[in-house]
């Protein structure tokens, strides 16, 4: 989508849609007042008839019939208290109000950098539709192609930069959505690794891809155990963005299970049918690293994804098997469906030892238990570092994504004790997202670390708020905000 800044007046700009917000049906803004007058003063009547109460996200659409330059007027309900949230609501509604319309002019309640960025994110994100596998007439026509943000001077450098930032974040979020939505027969471990490498190299970043032989040579037995039942080779990809003068180094690690059948502890069909989503952590990691590079953030950002399927082939790993982690600890396998933590454990140890970052952050669709605890729309955040938890929570608020800090309860640690090995990889019946996090913690050593369990919000059965059905790209916007804030600390 092409988004332009313009100081043209709402009534004079030629576009298919003119989109404006209102928090009230009785007290109108000056802009809306003017538009209503031009349209013959019919809004009050229309609203009454349509039951429009200016509730956030509610919208009415009417033809302009030459009474202004735009062809249609769309009025969107907004909260009226938070200009940035309202910019998002209006921009998102614009994408949903366009059926055949290709261009929209948007009136923002406040024209500043934060609102411009929010509008850009909501426009590009809202126009997202996954159509790669539809053919002929069934292929989505792809709604809005262009948008104008009114009252924004295109020579204003801060606004231009905000537009750029919003565009990059939304495009990288949409890429993560595409990767999750792609079917697992095509988006297999080798393909996923290829996307990260190719996209990174396009930006001039260094990418290293490790195949099965290399993982064997390193001794990543936990990672390889998960891969045993699959006919497709595993891949680990490392991408480095290292700007000159960076004083901080953050490594993102992503769970890249391109399909999780559960392995021998096989999932029932109803739990398996969405398991192409099990690489959403890798997708978020890819999105964040590419966005950081495109935005030229002054922080070194590394991305490592562990890609494999969890399948039931003749060589599949079994409950009772014991494998040695890259870290040297022996692990007794309990349930082959708890595969993500095994892949991540070896990746985290590798990152700790080979990259020695100041901070490691993993994204993973790790546990159903996290969805039981927090619902579908919120991710679990685990870290021992209070300051980091606070900073991430702040970033998530600005990014409009929901996280909740979860405890790393020491009481549950003993549930990972094994009678025959150093550790078992699954704890007791309760607190499953916590014991999963405690297992990961065994492999991070002294490196500051945060684990984000995104099993719930990274894939949705139906659209919710600004998140589309299917892959949502959850985590990219917050990760970028966090890195921006970290870079600004100097
Ligand atoms: N990939 C799943 C977690 C998941 C569930 C993600 C639903 C998205 C939606 C993970 O590998 C898994 O199967 N976890 C098990 C762990 C259990 C066997 C200890 C779970 O949560 O049931
Ligand atoms: Mn599983
Ligand atoms: Zn899984």
């Amino acid at each position: 989508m092409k988004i332009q800044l313009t100081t043209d007046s709402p009534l004079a700009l030629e576009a298919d849609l003119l989109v404006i917000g209102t928090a009230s049906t009785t007290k109108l803004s000056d802009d809306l007042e003017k538009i209503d007058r031009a349209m013959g003063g019919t809004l009050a009547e229309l609203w009454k008839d349509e039951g429009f109460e200016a509730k956030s996200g509610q919208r009415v659409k009417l033809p302009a019939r030459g009474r202004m330059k735009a062809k249609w007027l769309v009025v969107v309900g907004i909260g009226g208290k938070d200009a940035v949230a309202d910019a998002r609501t209006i921009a998102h509604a614009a994408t949903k109000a366009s059926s055949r319309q290709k261009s929209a002019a948007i009136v923002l309640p406040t024209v500043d950098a934060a609102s411009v960025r929010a509008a850009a994110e909501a426009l590009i994100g809202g126009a997202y539709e996954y159509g790669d596998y539809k053919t002929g007439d069934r292929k989505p026509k792809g709604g809005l192609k262009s948008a104008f943000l009114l009252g924004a001077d295109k020579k204003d450098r801060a606004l231009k930069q905000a537009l750029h930032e919003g565009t990059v974040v939304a495009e990288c979020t949409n890429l993560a959505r595409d990767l999750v939505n792609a079917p697992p027969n095509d988006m297999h471990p080798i393909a996923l690794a290829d996307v990260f490498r190719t996209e990174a190299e396009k930006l001039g970043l260094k990418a290293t891809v490790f195949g099965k032989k290399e993982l064997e040579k390193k001794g990543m037995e936990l990672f390889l155990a998960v891969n045993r039942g699959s006919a497709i080779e595993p891949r680990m990809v490392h991408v480095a963005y290292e700007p000159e003068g960076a004083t901080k180094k953050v490594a993102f690690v992503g769970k890249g299970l391109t399909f999780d059948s559960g392995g021998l502890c096989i999932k029932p069909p109803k739990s398996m049918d969405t398991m192409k989503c099990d690489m959403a952590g890798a997708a978020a990691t890819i999105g964040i690293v590419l966005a950081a590079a495109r935005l030229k953030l002054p922080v070194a950002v590394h991305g490592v994804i562990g890609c494999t399927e969890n399948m039931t082939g003749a060589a599949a790993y079994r409950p009772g098997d014991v494998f040695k982690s890259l870290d040297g600890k022996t692990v007794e396998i309990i349930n082959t469906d708890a595969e993500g933590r095994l892949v991540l454990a070896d990746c985290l140890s590798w990152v700790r030892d080979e990259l020695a970052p100041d901070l490691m952050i993993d994204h993973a669709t790790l546990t159903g238990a996290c969805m039981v605890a927090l619902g579908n729309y919120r991710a679990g955040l685990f870290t021992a570092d209070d300051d980091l938890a606070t900073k991430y929570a702040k970033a998530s608020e600005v990014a409009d994504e929901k996280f909740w800090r979860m405890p790393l309860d020491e009481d549950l640690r003993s549930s990972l004790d094994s009678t025959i090995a150093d550790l078992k990889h699954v704890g007791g019946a309760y607190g499953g997202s916590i014991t999963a996090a405690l297992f990961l913690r065994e492999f991070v050593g002294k490196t500051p670390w945060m684990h984000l369990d995104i099993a719930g919000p990274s894939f949705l059965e139906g659209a919710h708020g600004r998140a589309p059905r299917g892959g949502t790209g959850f985590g990219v916007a917050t990760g970028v905000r966090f890195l921006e804030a970290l870079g600004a600390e100097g």
Side-chain angles (χ1 to χ4, degrees):
M1 187 187 310
K2 187 164 189 246
I3 303 176
Q4 287 163 270
L5 307 178
T6 175
T7 45
D8 287 358
S9 86
L11 290 170
L13 190 87
E14 271 183 62
D16 292 331
L17 301 173
L18 175 65
V19 190
I20 183 166
T22 187
S24 159
T25 54
T26 50
K27 221 177 132 264
L28 308 191
S29 67
D30 291 349
D31 276 331
L32 187 52
E33 191 93 55
K34 254 184 237 156
I35 292 166
D36 186 30
R37 228 176 292 131
M39 294 285 284
T42 53
L43 277 180
E45 214 177 312
L46 174 79
W47 288 346
K48 198 156 172 234
D49 192 59
E50 295 266 324
F52 178 83
E53 294 170 334
K55 277 200 204 120
S56 186
Q58 207 185 0
R59 60 174 195 262
V60 287
K61 179 174 172 182
L62 62 155
R65 296 214 195 93
R67 290 171 291 190
M68 57 182 195
K69 280 281 165 63
K71 296 196 184 84
W72 295 82
L73 172 64
V74 177
V75 185
V76 183
I78 52 175
K81 296 206 171 74
D82 175 346
V84 174
D86 290 344
R88 273 196 192 104
T89 303
I90 296 167
H92 185 75
T95 66
K96 301 302 159 193
S98 65
S99 38
R100 286 158 197 280
Q101 294 79 26
K102 295 291 166 213
S103 61
I106 316 272
V107 181
L108 299 173
T110 305
V111 179
D112 59 12
S115 288
V116 165
R117 175 163 171 172
E121 276 183 44
L123 280 165
I124 296 167
Y128 178 82
E129 206 176 346
Y130 188 69
D132 287 8
Y133 286 81
K134 296 205 166 167
T135 62
D137 287 347
R138 287 165 295 248
K139 211 163 185 69
K141 305 273 178 298
L144 284 186
K145 291 274 177 289
S146 72
F148 300 89
L149 302 181
L150 296 170
D153 186 347
K154 64 172 183 252
K155 283 186 235 100
D156 186 318
R157 289 184 58 189
L159 298 186
K160 261 171 52 183
Q161 173 63 16
L163 174 58
H164 175 59
E165 289 163 359
T167 301
V168 167
V169 169
E171 286 178 356
C172 290
T173 300
N174 285 354
L175 171 66
R177 293 170 174 179
D178 273 346
L179 297 177
V180 172
N181 288 329
N185 55 326
D186 283 344
M187 192 47 67
H188 47 69
I190 298 170
L192 181 58
D194 238 39
V195 171
F196 197 13
R197 183 177 53 80
T198 316
E199 293 301 316
E201 284 176 352
K202 273 192 216 162
L203 297 174
L205 307 181
K206 188 165 175 255
T208 317
V209 180
F210 303 98
K212 187 172 176 177
K213 287 229 167 63
E214 285 132 324
L215 301 184
E216 281 169 353
K217 230 197 263 154
K218 293 183 198 301
M220 301 178 89
E221 268 188 36
L222 298 186
F223 187 158
L224 289 162
V226 175
N227 179 252
R228 288 176 62 99
S230 170
I232 307 173
E233 271 205 18
R235 292 284 185 269
M236 183 171 80
V237 188
H238 168 219
V239 168
Y241 162 65
E242 290 177 306
E244 232 171 277
T247 55
K248 291 184 188 104
K249 179 169 173 180
V250 182
F252 287 86
V253 179
K255 172 177 173 183
L257 265 287
T258 61
F259 189 71
D260 179 11
S261 72
L264 291 179
C265 305
I266 197 162
K267 288 180 184 291
K270 271 207 176 339
S271 311
M272 205 193 294
D273 63 3
T274 56
M275 276 304 134
K276 66 174 183 182
C277 79
D278 217 15
M279 35 59 71
T285 300
I286 293 171
I288 291 168
V289 175
L290 297 179
R294 285 179 61 186
L295 293 173
K296 302 187 166 62
L297 300 184
V299 182
V301 183
H302 291 248
V304 171
I305 59 172
C307 312
T308 176
E309 294 180 313
N310 185 24
M311 301 296 272
T312 58
Y317 76 136
R318 323 157 183 83
D321 283 353
V322 173
F323 297 97
K324 198 185 201 115
S325 67
L326 175 62
D327 187 61
K329 294 187 186 77
T330 56
V331 175
E332 181 189 4
I333 302 305
I334 303 298
N335 183 324
T336 62
D337 197 11
E339 82 299 334
R341 65 195 73 182
L342 298 171
V343 172
L344 284 176
D346 275 347
C347 289
L348 286 166
S349 304
W350 186 81
V351 168
R352 176 198 67 193
D353 293 342
E354 297 300 317
L355 307 180
D358 300 310
L359 168 64
M360 300 193 282
I361 300 175
D362 75 75
H363 285 81
T365 47
L366 204 61
T367 65
C370 200
M371 302 164 71
V372 172
L374 298 177
N376 249 332
Y377 306 122
R378 195 182 281 277
L381 181 158
F382 298 81
T383 181
D385 184 334
D386 295 343
D387 183 48
L388 174 60
T390 306
K391 283 179 178 160
Y392 223 77
K394 272 204 189 110
S396 79
E397 224 169 276
V398 183
D400 196 28
E401 293 183 320
K402 290 174 174 164
F403 291 80
W404 197 256
R405 189 172 182 189
M406 298 282 284
L408 288 158
D409 276 325
E410 295 305 333
D411 311 77
L412 296 176
R413 171 59 188 80
S414 61
S415 69
L416 297 174
D417 290 341
S418 163
T419 51
I420 70 149
D422 297 337
L423 278 171
K424 47 184 193 147
H425 85 309
V426 174
Y430 304 118
S433 72
I434 301 171
T435 49
L438 289 172
F439 180 80
L440 295 180
R441 192 184 65 175
E442 294 297 313
F443 301 89
V444 302
K446 290 196 166 39
T447 305
W449 158 75
M450 180 165 61
H451 159 57
L452 304 172
D453 193 332
I454 60 170
S458 60
F459 191 90
L460 298 176
E461 300 281 344
H464 176 79
R466 288 191 298 116
R469 159 172 37 82
T472 61
F474 185 94
V476 174
T478 302
V480 173
R481 285 287 185 178
F482 171 75
L483 291 171
E484 288 177 312
L486 195 66
E489 278 176 16

